[in-house]
Amino acid sequence: MPFIQFLHKVKNDLEEGGRHFEPTIGGDENEPTKPCPKCEKQVADSQLWANHNTCNFCGHHFRMNARQRIKFITDADSFNELWGDMVSTDILGFPGYEKKLENAHTASDENDAVVCGTATVDGEKCALFVMEPNFMMGSMGTVVGEKITRLFEYATEHKLSVVGYTVSGGARMQEGILSLMQMAKTSGAVKRHSDAGLFYLTVLTDPTTGGVMASFAMEGDIILAEPGATAGFAGARVIEQTTRKKLPHGFQKSEFILEHGFADAISPRQTQKETVSYLLKMHKGGNSNE
């Protein structure tokens, strides 16, 4: 770890991690565009940024990297990163894993699939974790499990609410049983945080699946979901092949899980910061007697 990082003098832009891209709002006609996967129209990068990375034609929510989301949800210059120097290693000698880790770091400019820290949201201090979709689709290995566990322990010690943004393909297969153990490990830390009378808010983003969905993603006191996000344990195709039954329309989408009681509300990005802030204020101090 570089000496300057050890001293932790970086503050901010979002602790100078990850990739940053903020186009000029109202760019020219030659600026880059992205095709919307829902309505198939071309959306200018500046329009996406101005509209919280959602399509201004149909409202489709594009995926965001961790630093984009932190900048979107937190107050300016309030984010203080914790354990940013932790990196995954090929602890089991899994073929090709080291190369995959290198590629993931290049694609995301992150050390692993979750960014943790403290921040304020409209003045309300909280502990925050945001998963990174560009690092092996947010898969949970030992570093992800350790960082999230530490965050809940830190929040318990400092009596902070936790806000968690999940996006994951599940447990990281290259770390075998060690990745699966993170489900119990993180759940234990969430339980101790809850026993201390503190608040935990989860925001499910696209996609949240597998071992992450089966552990801390579904353990929030309140669970929000972004519109159209996929959230479930096994994939729909696997379930259809196993049960030999046709699944209902919209199965595992956020609107479906809301209807069936697995989420408390759908939270569009345009009003999401206000919603998170309101819930933090409402549950300030949890159920403690302070």
Side-chain angles (χ1 to χ4, degrees):
M1 176 171 50
F3 184 69
I4 191 68
Q5 183 180 355
F6 175 75
L7 292 178
H8 195 68
K9 291 183 178 179
V10 177
K11 184 80 174 174
N12 254 314
D13 185 67
L14 297 178
E15 299 283 23
E16 285 193 1
R19 295 185 181 275
H20 305 290
F21 173 66
E22 187 170 355
T24 303
I25 304 302
D28 60 37
E29 60 183 9
N30 296 318
E31 72 171 302
T33 62
K34 292 181 181 178
C36 175
K38 185 176 179 181
C39 70
E40 300 182 348
K41 293 183 179 180
Q42 293 292 326
V43 188
D45 283 343
S46 62
Q47 291 177 322
L48 277 175
W49 190 269
N51 206 31
H52 308 295
N53 236 33
T54 63
C55 176
N56 55 303
F57 298 106
C58 70
H60 173 75
H61 283 48
F62 285 75
R63 290 174 184 166
M64 301 175 76
N65 68 41
R67 307 277 170 178
Q68 283 179 315
R69 200 175 284 279
I70 292 168
K71 186 166 187 174
F72 153 66
I73 198 68
T74 64
D75 300 336
D77 297 328
S78 71
F79 179 67
N80 180 43
E81 186 168 0
L82 299 171
W83 316 294
D85 59 337
M86 293 181 66
V87 296
S88 290
T89 58
D90 186 13
I91 48 181
L92 298 181
F94 194 95
Y97 186 32
E98 287 188 358
K99 184 61 176 177
K100 286 184 180 292
L101 289 173
E102 291 176 11
N103 292 340
H105 174 71
T106 301
S108 65
D109 208 19
E110 298 290 354
N111 285 331
D112 216 291
V114 69
V115 178
C116 297
T118 60
T120 60
V121 181
D122 283 343
E124 294 297 321
K125 188 173 182 179
C126 65
L128 176 73
F129 72 84
V130 182
M131 304 191 77
E132 172 56 66
N134 296 314
F135 196 105
M136 299 184 72
M137 189 40 72
S139 58
M140 177 172 63
T142 53
V143 167
V144 170
E146 177 67 17
K147 288 178 73 172
I148 290 176
T149 298
R150 287 189 187 187
L151 186 74
F152 275 95
E153 291 174 344
Y154 180 94
T156 302
E157 179 182 355
H158 292 85
K159 296 181 172 56
L160 294 175
S161 297
V162 174
V163 177
Y165 279 82
T166 62
V167 54
S168 182
R172 193 174 298 172
M173 61 172 288
Q174 291 86 352
E175 295 188 22
I177 189 64
L178 298 178
S179 65
L180 295 177
M181 289 168 63
Q182 306 311 308
M183 297 168 63
K185 178 177 173 178
T186 54
S187 295
V190 173
K191 179 64 163 57
R192 288 189 292 272
H193 181 262
S194 176
D195 288 345
L198 298 167
F199 176 60
Y200 172 33
L201 172 65
T202 312
V203 185
L204 309 178
T205 75
D206 184 62
T208 298
T209 60
V212 169
M213 182 70 170
S215 56
F216 59 85
M218 295 301 292
E219 293 170 346
D221 297 299
I222 292 178
I223 299 174
L224 305 178
E226 290 195 330
T230 297
F233 182 63
R237 183 175 58 185
V238 173
I239 296 173
E240 283 192 333
Q241 291 174 347
T242 302
T243 62
R244 298 182 181 180
K245 293 182 179 179
K246 184 69 175 176
L247 296 174
H249 177 72
F251 180 74
Q252 291 186 331
K253 292 298 184 182
S254 53
E255 294 78 10
F256 184 92
I257 66 171
L258 173 66
E259 182 181 347
H260 290 80
F262 287 92
D264 296 299
I266 304 297
S267 182
R269 287 191 196 139
Q270 286 80 357
T271 57
Q272 198 172 104
K273 184 173 183 177
E274 290 80 1
T275 300
V276 171
S277 170
Y278 175 77
L279 291 171
L280 287 173
K281 288 180 171 69
M282 179 183 291
H283 295 88
K284 191 172 184 178
N287 296 321
S288 66
N289 295 319
E290 293 189 355

